[in-house]
Amino acid sequence: QKEVEQDPGPLSVPEGAIVSLNCTYSNSAFQYFMWYRQYSRKGPELLMYTYSSGNKEDGRFTAQVDKSSKYISLFIRDSQPSDSATYLCAMSLSGGYQKVTFGTGTKLQVIP
Amino acid sequence: EAQVTQNPRYLITVTGKKLTVTCSQNMNHEYMSWYRQDPGLGLRQIYYSMNVEVTDKGDVPEGYKVSRKEKRNFPLILESPSPNQTSLYFCASTSLDTQYFGPGTRLTVL
């Protein structure tokens, strides 16, 4: 079993939809949780960085962490075609991005 | 402009021929990391560095070396590349809650 599980998709939604992306993990010691967006042939781009449980909002993006269930989510409101990319979750035991473990990514397509 | 540069961007080489992939950042970040990305396996951390002369292994360090002699540079060295090191490599530079990745280096080892 992988430490971090992420549905690879692809996930296709119409423009304007609310998108929910999820990851589960097995290591309860993870404390820091990240979401990245990766466009084709580009490096990942950090979207959200959260510590421990709770919600964090940034524009159309909301990250949610439920440590009791070992489950994290990224919500995208009013999705746009420009959101079409692969979304990677990641987590680490300590801050500073040491020993980071990534999910395999979910490919999202937002259809105009 | 915040930037992480990697060179070369593409490289085809043969088994056993030593190579270095360079990584440089202009943000004065303390943390830098190397990752490889493979289909179905996602991004896996090779090595990371918390500061000059401070490095540690990630999840897949076998067959790789790194050095951090200056804060801005973090080269990845493959002393004797093998075909299973064919991959897409990313360097990342980090400070607190910001992180920037380089554009990637696609390496093929024949």
Side-chain angles (χ1 to χ4, degrees):
Chain A
Q1 184 192 5
K2 291 181 181 175
E3 254 190 318
V4 179
E5 298 274 3
Q6 187 174 9
D7 188 330
L11 178 63
S12 291
V13 301
E15 183 176 353
I18 296 174
V19 176
S20 172
L21 303 163
N22 311 296
C23 286
T24 59
Y25 61 95
S26 57
N27 188 346
S28 57
F30 284 134
Q31 296 282 355
Y32 295 84
F33 303 90
M34 291 78 80
W35 284 96
Y36 296 81
R37 176 174 63 196
Q38 186 175 22
Y39 292 114
S40 182
R41 300 182 185 278
K42 298 286 187 185
E45 171 192 5
L46 179 65
L47 285 176
M48 303 287 278
Y49 173 83
T50 55
Y51 169 70
S52 196
S53 283
N55 292 0
K56 184 175 181 179
E57 191 172 315
D58 185 1
R60 295 185 297 112
F61 298 91
T62 300
Q64 215 169 63
V65 176
D66 182 349
K67 289 191 72 181
S68 62
S69 302
K70 300 195 191 74
Y71 189 87
I72 68 170
S73 301
L74 178 71
F75 297 97
I76 307 174
R77 289 183 299 282
D78 188 25
S79 55
Q80 302 294 309
S82 59
D83 294 328
S84 298
T86 297
Y87 289 80
L88 307 163
C89 65
M91 36 203 88
S92 69
L93 302 176
S94 58
Y97 304 85
Q98 302 161 39
K99 289 278 191 180
V100 181
T101 302
F102 280 82
T104 50
T106 299
K107 190 167 185 178
L108 171 67
Q109 185 178 19
V110 181
I111 302 166
Chain B
E1 180 193 351
Q3 202 167 27
V4 178
T5 56
Q6 290 180 231
N7 282 293
R9 295 288 314 280
Y10 302 91
L11 179 61
I12 301 174
T13 188
V14 295
T15 299
K17 187 176 180 182
K18 181 179 178 180
L19 66 93
T20 299
V21 184
T22 64
C23 173
S24 184
Q25 50 99 356
N26 64 357
M27 296 160 281
N28 203 37
H29 285 170
E30 292 183 347
Y31 293 109
M32 297 184 74
S33 312
W34 275 104
Y35 297 88
R36 60 179 289 175
Q37 189 171 36
D38 302 288
L41 296 175
L43 271 165
R44 291 178 293 167
Q45 194 173 44
I46 303 170
Y47 269 96
Y48 62 92
S49 170
M50 290 169 281
N51 214 326
V52 174
E53 304 290 5
V54 182
T55 63
D56 205 351
K57 297 176 182 178
D59 293 321
V60 288
E62 295 78 20
Y64 305 94
K65 283 176 58 177
V66 292
S67 70
R68 188 93 181 272
K69 292 184 169 52
E70 307 166 278
K71 205 170 188 179
R72 64 181 290 120
N73 295 322
F74 190 42
L76 179 70
I77 303 154
L78 284 73
E79 294 265 359
S80 182
S82 61
N84 65 12
Q85 293 178 298
T86 292
S87 187
L88 179 58
Y89 291 86
F90 289 103
C91 177
S93 178
T94 304
S95 178
L96 294 176
D97 62 351
T98 63
Q99 186 175 42
Y100 295 92
F101 278 79
T105 295
R106 187 165 292 281
L107 172 65
T108 302
V109 183
L110 302 174

